[in-house]
Amino acid sequence: MKYLIPILFLVYSSFSYSGCREAAHNSSLEQVLSLADRPHLNEFEEEYLKELNFVRMNPKGYIKFLEQRLENTNSDGTYRENGSLFMGQEGKSAIIEAINFLKNVTPIDKELLLSSGLSKAAKGHATELGEAGKTGHYSLDRTDPFQRIARFGVQSGSFNENISYTANSARGHIIDLLVDDGVASRGHRKAIFNISNKKVGVGCASHTIYTRMCVADFSQNFTERASSSGVIIVDEF
């Protein structure tokens, strides 16, 4: 069978940690972030955040989207999304597993709080690696996720970083992370439903090889550092 559209292979990356990493700056920041200080997300990032909170709070309501993916998946593991052809590794079995997971997982009753600092770290990483055509959790200078987020605040408790590529829609990215095709630990799915995580930063950017790259940094407790103007910014509501 000849495909006129290039096959895009699914790529993911997941990083997890539980503990405390301190930044060098003052961590006693307890002022509430106002709506005016809410980090600016582009339309794609807003949709990503919306889909993320949707599936966490209403997993059973999200099953229909995975059922659509299942219906559109061929026996060889390929499926189409918005005119592009994608290739998975496990085929339909991984999607069925994800559907069963959503049927049984306990919904999380609160939305993730959007963090300005985590979003800046996520956006910077997506932009840098997207322009360079690279993948993974390390920056081009080998900076790790904790070093990136420490520029913007203090992290404590659980932390997860999910990275996904290629999908043409925000929902496609979330579905890919839920299915977690080819990832034995299903670490991306676990990160999404980690009840300890209360905050998230989202950043998406174009990728020279994989079309688009999205980074989500989840945290149990991330305290924003002071801005360059001296105004203390903390993302607690």
Side-chain angles (χ1 to χ4, degrees):
M1 183 175 184
K2 183 178 180 180
Y3 295 109
L4 298 179
I5 301 172
I7 295 178
L8 302 175
F9 291 87
L10 300 180
V11 184
Y12 317 94
S13 191
S14 180
F15 180 96
S16 300
Y17 177 83
S18 181
C20 181
R21 288 289 187 93
E22 296 287 337
H25 53 268
N26 185 356
S27 63
S28 60
L29 308 176
E30 299 297 338
Q31 185 171 327
V32 173
L33 175 70
S34 70
L35 290 177
D37 291 321
R38 185 181 186 276
H40 173 74
L41 300 183
N42 62 36
E43 184 177 353
F44 197 95
E45 293 161 345
E46 289 282 4
E47 283 297 314
Y48 184 104
L49 178 62
K50 178 181 176 181
E51 295 290 323
L52 187 58
N53 278 318
F54 180 1
V55 72
R56 280 168 53 94
M57 299 180 73
N58 185 13
K60 286 186 173 65
Y62 216 81
I63 290 174
K64 59 187 177 184
F65 305 126
L66 273 74
E67 289 176 335
Q68 292 172 1
R69 170 70 65 85
L70 181 63
E71 183 178 348
N72 293 331
T73 298
N74 302 312
S75 59
D76 62 357
T78 59
Y79 65 91
R80 290 185 183 276
E81 180 190 298
N82 297 332
S84 295
L85 187 68
F86 295 87
M87 170 69 80
Q89 298 180 39
E90 299 178 63
K92 294 187 176 185
S93 62
I95 306 172
I96 293 171
E97 179 195 313
I99 290 172
N100 289 331
F101 173 88
L102 293 181
K103 287 179 179 177
N104 295 292
V105 70
T106 301
I108 299 172
D109 61 1
K110 291 184 178 180
E111 290 188 351
L112 288 162
L113 300 178
L114 182 62
S115 162
S116 176
L118 292 176
S119 292
K120 289 175 182 177
K123 183 72 171 188
H125 189 53
T127 300
E128 181 184 51
L129 265 61
E131 291 176 351
K134 302 294 185 180
T135 62
H137 293 281
Y138 287 89
S139 303
L140 297 182
D141 64 358
R142 303 306 296 167
T143 298
D144 67 29
F146 290 110
Q147 291 170 313
R148 286 195 299 272
I149 66 174
R151 297 166 181 162
F152 305 103
V154 177
Q155 159 64 25
S156 63
S158 66
F159 174 84
N160 304 99
E161 182 174 85
N162 276 356
I163 303 178
S164 53
Y165 309 79
T166 74
N168 293 326
S169 66
R171 178 167 294 164
H173 277 267
I174 300 302
I175 291 174
D176 287 347
L177 294 167
L178 291 170
V179 174
D180 230 358
D181 184 288
V183 181
S185 68
R186 307 302 192 212
H188 302 91
R189 183 194 303 164
K190 290 177 181 177
I192 291 174
F193 283 95
N194 184 347
I195 195 170
S196 296
N197 289 330
K198 311 298 183 186
K199 303 178 181 182
V200 69
V202 175
C204 299
S206 298
H207 196 283
T208 59
I209 297 174
Y210 296 111
T211 308
R212 192 187 304 271
M213 172 179 174
C214 283
V215 179
D217 285 335
F218 302 86
S219 173
Q220 182 174 356
N221 184 28
F222 182 79
T223 305
E224 308 281 345
R225 66 179 298 178
S227 69
S228 59
S229 63
V231 177
I232 295 175
I233 302 175
V234 176
D235 58 344
E236 302 266 20
F237 288 91

